[in-house]
């Protein structure tokens, strides 16, 4: 009987690798690190593709904006006598072809083309802003998922510890060195932790679905994050993610003024509005029309005529002047939009900077003091409980405190990464993976 069990166990162990290999990576989900998530989002996110198409459309509008109006071709039968409609009875009868071309001589065509160029530049900056926004969103969603994965790891370790504590309590109760309530408390703690793990798994699915949306994938597609440097749960020398200090806020504000695409977009819009105002002011000047007419006279000499026309702005008060007022208001509005965008970017940059610095200090505090101290407190409480020097609630509280501090540590790591992603967006800096991860 024992030999048969050993043979079955060996067979199962030999078959296990084959089963895992058959499953392959797709059984676990696509594996992402931060750099790959950002790279996929840049290519596959539909907002990026839409913004690029908008640039093509704006570029195509530049040449038509400065093109001359289409010429007018007129065909006419002139001075035919009634009722016979015979051209031979009157020497003034003719078949006439006239070509007219309007020529704006007030410089509005060149100004319109300049306005279209500013609009194309504005749309290009809008595309850059969309790319940076997609990068920031991908990074933020990644850090949300990172935080949840680390929380699940901690909760799984905590569940293992709670089961060990329950076994200790059960053994101690069996030999009469503790009370039955300790066993009950340990079982309640295990049940509650399992319930919290289920809730956290639902949060992970939601976070993974949000990241999938940024990556241009179906929300239910599985995602597995590449595990970072190990965070040993009971090691006083805890390894944390790199959270370097940031440059001074004033230097970041200067970078934002130079490279933020939303500020550049607002600036291009203001420049276009000023040029458009100049073009509208010149519309009060008449347009020039030139024409040539050729007349064919049956039985007589043909005739050639030249014509010059000008537009007369008799309705300027209700048309050109009102358009001038509109252009002035649009120019004022675009300049105020630029000022508002600068203020908004500075405010968001200051907030993200404060969040990043707070998270960085908290990571250092938790990794350097709180987590190692809670590890020591937990280990001392467990050792004291085993010899009956403290009660079960004390040991359980020590374990829960360790769980809370570890969870907060990873939350601040994710908070730092999200804040830096926002700072990069605001200063117009595309994501670049660290050299070690390339």
């Amino acid at each position: 009987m024992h030999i048969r069990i050993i043979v079955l166990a060996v067979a199962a162990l030999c078959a296990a690798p084959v089963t895992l290999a058959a499953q392959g990576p797709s059984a676990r989900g696509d594996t992402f690190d931060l750099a790959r998530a950002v790279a996929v989002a840049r290519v596959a996110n539909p907002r990026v593709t839409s913004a690029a198409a908008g640039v093509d459309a704006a570029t195509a509008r530049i040449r038509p904006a400065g093109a001359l109006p289409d010429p007018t071709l007129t065909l006419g039968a002139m001075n035919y006598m009634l009722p016979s409609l015979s051209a031979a009875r009157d020497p003034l009868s003719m078949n006439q072809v006239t070509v007219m071309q309007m020529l704006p001589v007030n410089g509005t065509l060149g100004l319109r083309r300049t306005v279209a160029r500013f609009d194309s530049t504005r749309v290009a900056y809008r595309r850059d802003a969309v790319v940076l926004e997609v990068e920031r969103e991908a990074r933020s969603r990644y850090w949300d998922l990172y935080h949840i994965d680390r929380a699940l790891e901690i909760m799984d370790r905590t569940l293992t510890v709670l089961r060990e504590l329950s076994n200790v309590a059960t053994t101690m109760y069996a030999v009469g060195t503790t009370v039955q309530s300790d066993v009950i408390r340990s079982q309640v703690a295990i049940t509650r932790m399992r319930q919290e793990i289920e809730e956290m798994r639902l949060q992970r699915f939601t976070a993974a679905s949000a990241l999938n949306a940024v990556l241009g994938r179906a929300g239910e597609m599985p995602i597995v994050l590449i595990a970072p440097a190990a965070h040993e749960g009971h090691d006083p020398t805890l390894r944390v993610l790199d959270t370097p200090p940031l440059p001074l806020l004033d230097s970041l504000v200067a970078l934002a003024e130079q490279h933020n695409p939303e500020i550049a977009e607002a600036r291009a819009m203001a420049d276009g509005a000023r040029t458009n105002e100049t073009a509208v002011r010149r519309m009060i000047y008449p347009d020039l029309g030139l024409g040539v007419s050729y007349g064919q006279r049956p039985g007589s000499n043909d005739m050639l005529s030249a014509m010059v026309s000008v537009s007369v702005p008799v309705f300027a008060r209700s048309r050109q002047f009102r358009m001038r007022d509109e252009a002035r208001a649009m120019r004022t509005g675009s300049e105020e939009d630029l000022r508002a965008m600068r203020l908004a970017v500075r405010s968001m940059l200051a907030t993200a900077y404060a969040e990043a610095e707070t998270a960085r200090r908290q990571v250092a505090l938790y990794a350097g003091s709180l987590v190692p101290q809670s590890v020591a407190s937990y280990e001392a409480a467990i050792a004291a409980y085993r010899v009956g020097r403290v009660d079960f609630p004390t040991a359980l509280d020590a374990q829960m405190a360790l769980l809370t501090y570890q969870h907060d540590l990873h939350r601040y790591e994710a908070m730092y990464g999200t804040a830096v992603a926002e700072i990069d967006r605001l200063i117009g800096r595309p994501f670049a993976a660290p050299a070690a991860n390339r």
Side-chain angles (χ1 to χ4, degrees):
M1 184 64 179
H2 290 85
I3 295 176
R4 182 181 178 186
I5 293 175
I6 293 173
V7 171
L8 291 175
V10 171
L13 290 174
C14 293
V18 177
T19 303
L20 292 174
Q23 290 178 350
S26 61
R28 300 179 61 246
D30 293 335
T31 302
F32 285 90
D33 59 5
L34 183 56
R36 183 177 178 230
V38 172
V40 171
R42 285 172 180 163
V43 176
N45 190 283
R47 291 172 57 198
V48 174
T49 307
S50 175
V55 174
D56 294 338
T59 302
R61 288 194 292 265
I62 295 177
R63 291 189 64 183
L68 288 171
D70 292 332
T72 302
L73 173 67
T74 304
L75 303 178
M78 311 295 292
N79 302 318
Y80 277 69
M81 299 295 291
L82 294 175
S84 64
L85 296 179
S86 173
R89 297 178 59 184
D90 193 321
L92 296 180
S93 299
M94 71 180 72
N95 298 319
Q96 190 175 53
V97 178
T98 303
V99 179
M100 291 290 297
Q101 175 67 62
M102 295 301 296
L103 298 173
V105 295
N106 49 19
T108 55
L109 288 182
L111 291 172
R112 294 297 183 193
R113 182 171 292 173
T114 302
V115 171
R117 288 196 184 97
F118 279 126
D119 186 66
S120 177
T121 302
R122 177 190 65 81
V123 175
Y125 283 127
R126 168 50 33 195
R127 175 204 56 199
D128 296 342
V130 168
V131 172
L132 289 173
E133 172 61 25
V134 167
E135 286 189 8
R136 182 205 64 79
E137 191 171 355
R139 293 166 70 177
S140 298
R141 300 302 184 187
Y142 176 92
W143 286 117
D144 289 342
L145 195 57
Y146 165 85
H147 172 219
I148 294 174
D149 278 355
R150 301 292 80 75
L152 281 171
E153 290 176 0
I154 295 168
M155 294 168 80
D156 286 337
R157 288 200 305 264
T158 301
L159 183 60
T160 301
V161 172
L162 290 176
R163 285 171 176 160
E164 293 174 356
L165 283 175
S166 179
N167 292 335
V168 171
T170 301
T171 302
M172 294 176 66
Y173 172 70
V175 297
T177 57
T178 190
V179 294
Q180 187 180 14
S181 60
D182 287 357
V183 179
I184 297 175
R185 286 193 185 96
S186 66
Q187 293 173 350
V188 170
I190 291 173
T191 303
R192 182 176 178 182
M193 182 56 61
R194 291 174 61 185
Q195 179 263 334
E196 291 179 356
I197 288 175
E198 287 301 317
E199 290 184 355
M200 188 62 68
R201 285 174 179 166
L202 176 59
Q203 293 183 29
R204 191 196 190 281
F205 179 85
T206 303
S209 180
L211 179 57
N212 273 323
V214 181
L215 302 181
R217 296 156 30 111
E220 68 276 11
M221 293 185 68
I223 290 181
V224 177
L225 300 188
I226 295 177
H231 292 74
E232 297 296 335
H234 300 278
D235 186 356
T237 59
L238 186 68
R239 297 182 62 189
V240 298
L241 297 182
D242 189 24
T243 55
L246 300 173
L248 295 177
L249 178 59
D250 288 341
S251 64
L252 295 177
V253 171
L255 288 174
E257 178 64 29
Q258 295 176 11
H259 304 295
N260 181 282
E262 291 177 309
I263 293 179
E265 178 189 4
R267 189 183 296 116
M269 184 177 294
D271 292 338
R274 295 187 194 99
T275 306
N276 181 66
E277 183 183 13
T278 302
V280 171
R281 286 182 178 276
R282 292 187 182 181
M283 288 178 64
I284 195 66
Y285 302 115
D287 291 334
L288 178 67
L290 299 178
V292 176
S293 179
Y294 170 75
Q296 180 190 39
R297 296 195 302 169
S300 183
N301 293 333
D302 294 344
M303 301 180 68
L304 183 67
S305 304
M307 292 160 284
V308 177
S309 65
V310 293
S311 60
V312 180
V314 295
F315 302 109
R317 186 175 298 276
S318 59
R319 184 171 178 266
Q320 283 91 342
F321 288 174
R322 298 288 79 77
M323 294 176 65
R324 181 188 62 188
D325 294 341
E326 177 195 13
R328 184 190 304 116
M330 293 181 64
R331 185 257 304 163
T332 301
S334 64
E335 290 174 347
E336 290 302 306
D337 286 341
L338 174 58
R339 193 167 75 92
M341 180 57 67
R342 285 181 171 132
L343 293 173
V345 167
R346 186 182 185 97
S347 175
M348 290 186 289
L349 194 55
T351 300
Y353 186 88
E355 291 176 352
E357 284 299 300
T358 299
R360 185 179 65 84
R361 291 192 297 268
Q362 292 286 59
V363 167
L365 176 63
Y366 274 79
S369 300
L370 290 177
V371 172
Q373 290 171 2
S374 63
V375 168
S377 176
Y378 160 74
E379 292 176 347
I382 293 298
Y385 176 69
R386 290 180 184 275
V387 297
R389 294 177 57 187
V390 299
D391 56 5
F392 183 79
T394 302
L396 185 61
D397 289 345
Q399 171 58 31
M400 292 299 104
L402 177 58
L403 167 65
T404 301
Y405 289 143
Q406 290 173 328
H407 182 276
D408 287 344
L409 168 63
H410 299 310
R411 178 169 62 86
Y412 282 118
E413 286 178 331
M415 177 179 172
Y416 178 87
T418 301
V420 170
E422 176 69 357
I423 290 173
D424 284 347
R425 181 188 75 86
L426 293 171
I427 65 175
R429 180 171 59 191
F431 173 77
N437 296 334
R438 289 179 181 170

